[in-house]
Amino acid sequence: MATEEPLEIRVAPPRAAAQRVAVTMRTPGHDFELAAGWLVHERVTIPGDIAGVKYCTDETLTALEEFNVVTVDLAAPPLAMPTARLVTSACGVCGTDSVQDVLAAAAPAVPVTLDLETVLALPGRLAEQQPGFGRTGGLHAAGLFEADGTPVVVREDVGRHNAVDKVIGSRILGASPVPPVLVLSGRIGFELVQKAVVSGVSAVVAVGAPTSLALSLAEDAGLVLVGFTRHQRCVVYAGAEHVVGSITA
């Protein structure tokens, strides 16, 4: 079975005590990446201000809590300190109120050109790196790929939003550029496109369909948005001029 446990995220501003900002339900693993990605996507901080992440060692923690509480140290004051809340594995972005808020926080999107056959192959390449789903059938996946289809990083989690936070968080903690293509194992909700926009991703490719608000945001942000990508078909919902080529018989 897929594991689901709570992760408490604390933030420690410079010269201040750590404060709890969220408790999210997640699949254990890559917890530091999850915390970093979540804080950036929620606009609590920016990538360059994350000084470090560690598991908490409070004497009051029980054995079950020992690896379920992380503290993120900041090198600068947070942009905002949200009220501590529970974030379920089904919850996406909770700190953004409108499309305009998302666009205001967006990283510059670099135009990308994708070959149609490469796009069609992406879900299969994502599936090749989903061992947890293969064992349990209960995990979502997100992966960052280069424009030529080369996989860079793939993460799994019981929450589709967590999986995206983890892959982006891996680039934040590694101080590495974010590859242009985000591939998702399920549908495309508004909150997933939001995370892509804030992170500077240029294209989102998914096995499932987008929602109307997800499409609206993608169009406003200039993202390529491709859904129902499986076998020999896909639907290009936004940015069709950036998808070239044809299917080879």
Side-chain angles (χ1 to χ4, degrees):
M1 296 181 66
T3 303
E4 184 176 32
E5 294 181 1
L7 177 70
E8 178 179 323
I9 300 174
R10 300 178 183 178
V11 170
R15 299 175 297 282
Q19 300 179 48
R20 180 174 66 183
V21 294
V23 177
T24 183
M25 304 304 295
R26 96 304 188 192
T27 298
H30 306 289
D31 293 331
F32 294 176
E33 296 174 355
L34 172 56
W38 189 87
L39 290 173
V40 169
H41 290 145
E42 288 288 323
R43 299 174 65 188
V44 175
T45 188
I46 61 175
D49 285 347
I50 294 178
V53 189
K54 59 181 179 294
Y55 285 109
C56 294
T57 56
D58 295 2
E59 293 182 359
T60 58
L61 295 180
T62 67
L64 291 177
E65 294 174 311
E66 185 176 358
F67 293 104
N68 284 336
V69 182
V70 299
T71 296
V72 181
D73 294 315
L74 300 184
L79 302 177
M81 187 65 83
T83 302
R85 63 184 184 270
L86 173 67
V87 183
T88 72
S89 58
C91 180
V93 55
C94 301
T96 303
D97 297 324
S98 70
V99 170
Q100 294 307 313
D101 286 342
V102 175
L103 294 176
V110 178
V112 63
T113 298
L114 302 175
D115 180 78
L116 178 58
E117 287 200 338
T118 298
V119 169
L120 293 172
L122 288 174
R125 293 177 183 175
L126 181 71
E128 290 172 357
Q129 300 192 49
Q130 292 181 246
F133 179 81
R135 293 192 301 270
T136 68
L139 295 176
H140 295 284
L144 290 170
F145 289 72
E146 300 292 358
D148 64 1
T150 301
V152 178
V153 58
V154 175
R155 296 288 185 259
E156 293 183 282
D157 198 278
V158 69
R160 68 188 72 215
H161 313 96
N162 293 341
V164 175
D165 287 337
K166 286 180 177 181
V167 292
I168 298 298
S170 73
R171 309 305 287 173
I172 293 171
L173 296 183
S176 303
V178 176
V181 185
L182 175 65
V183 184
L184 307 172
S185 63
R187 66 178 179 82
I188 314 169
F190 166 81
E191 62 283 346
L192 298 179
V193 175
Q194 179 265 345
K195 292 176 187 291
V197 171
V198 170
S199 301
V201 167
S202 302
V204 177
V205 178
V207 173
T211 64
S212 60
L213 194 57
L215 173 56
S216 177
L217 176 56
E219 290 175 334
D220 289 346
L223 259 66
V224 177
L225 191 67
V226 185
F228 284 122
T229 313
R230 57 190 74 181
H231 306 303
Q232 289 295 94
R233 67 181 295 271
C234 67
V235 178
V236 182
Y237 290 89
E241 67 276 15
H242 296 292
V243 180
V244 301
S246 58
I247 300 174
T248 302

